[in-house]
Amino acid sequence: MHRFYAFHSFTHFHRNGMASACIFLSCKVEEQPRKLEHVIRAAQICTNPEQGSNLQKEVYNEKAQDLVFNENVLLQTLGFDVAIDHPHTHVVKTCHLVKDDDLG
C-alpha cells in the first residue's frame, strides 16, 4: 500500500477499500485465492463489527465493483499491464479468413 499511496492521494482512494483490494490481490499472488465474497464480508466485519457480515444485495454489489476497480488501479499503479491484446482474437479472425478462402 505504501507504493500505491506514493503515487495516489488518500483523499481519492480510501484506505479501507484499498486494504481490501491489497488483501484480495495478495491472496492471488501467493496462490491462495479467496472468493470476492469472503474478502468483502471479512472487511465488513472489521470495519463495522456491530453490523456483522450482513449486507444487502445492492450494498454487496457496490462493494464488489469498488473492490475490483481498486484492484485494477492497484495493478496499474504497480506496473502491471491489464489491457493486453490477446493473440487469440487475431488467430480466430485469421482462421475464419482462411476458411472463407477455401470455400471460394
Side-chain angles (χ1 to χ4, degrees), residues 50-61:
E50 65 280 348
Q51 186 181 5
S53 66
N54 298 330
L55 289 172
Q56 295 176 359
K57 188 169 181 85
E58 298 82 23
V59 175
Y60 172 80
N61 288 337

Side-chain angles (χ1 to χ4, degrees), residues 69-102:
F69 174 77
N70 287 339
E71 181 188 22
N72 282 332
V73 172
L74 178 63
L75 284 168
Q76 290 172 357
T77 302
L78 297 177
F80 285 77
D81 188 9
V82 294
I84 299 171
D85 187 22
H86 293 284
H88 177 74
T89 55
H90 301 295
V91 171
V92 170
K93 287 179 184 177
T94 304
C95 288
H96 286 294
L97 288 173
V98 169
K99 187 176 181 181
D100 288 342
D101 285 346
D102 287 341

Side-chain angles (χ1 to χ4, degrees), residues 10-96:
F10 282 103
T11 59
H12 288 102
F13 296 97
H14 194 270
R15 64 185 181 277
N16 292 342
M18 289 311 300
S20 297
C22 287
I23 290 171
F24 188 60
L25 181 60
S26 66
C27 288
K28 290 179 182 179
V29 169
E30 293 297 323
E31 296 183 5
Q32 296 291 326
R34 300 290 183 245
K35 290 184 178 182
L36 184 64
E37 178 182 359
H38 294 163
V39 175
I40 291 171
R41 293 201 187 279
Q44 178 68 20
I45 291 171
C46 291
T47 56
N48 296 321
E50 65 280 348
Q51 186 181 5
S53 66
N54 298 330
L55 289 172
Q56 295 176 359
K57 188 169 181 85
E58 298 82 23
V59 175
Y60 172 80
N61 288 337
E62 182 181 328
K63 288 185 180 280
Q65 287 177 346
D66 288 344
L67 195 146
V68 171
F69 174 77
N70 287 339
E71 181 188 22
N72 282 332
V73 172
L74 178 63
L75 284 168
Q76 290 172 357
T77 302
L78 297 177
F80 285 77
D81 188 9
V82 294
I84 299 171
D85 187 22
H86 293 284
H88 177 74
T89 55
H90 301 295
V91 171
V92 170
K93 287 179 184 177
T94 304
C95 288
H96 286 294

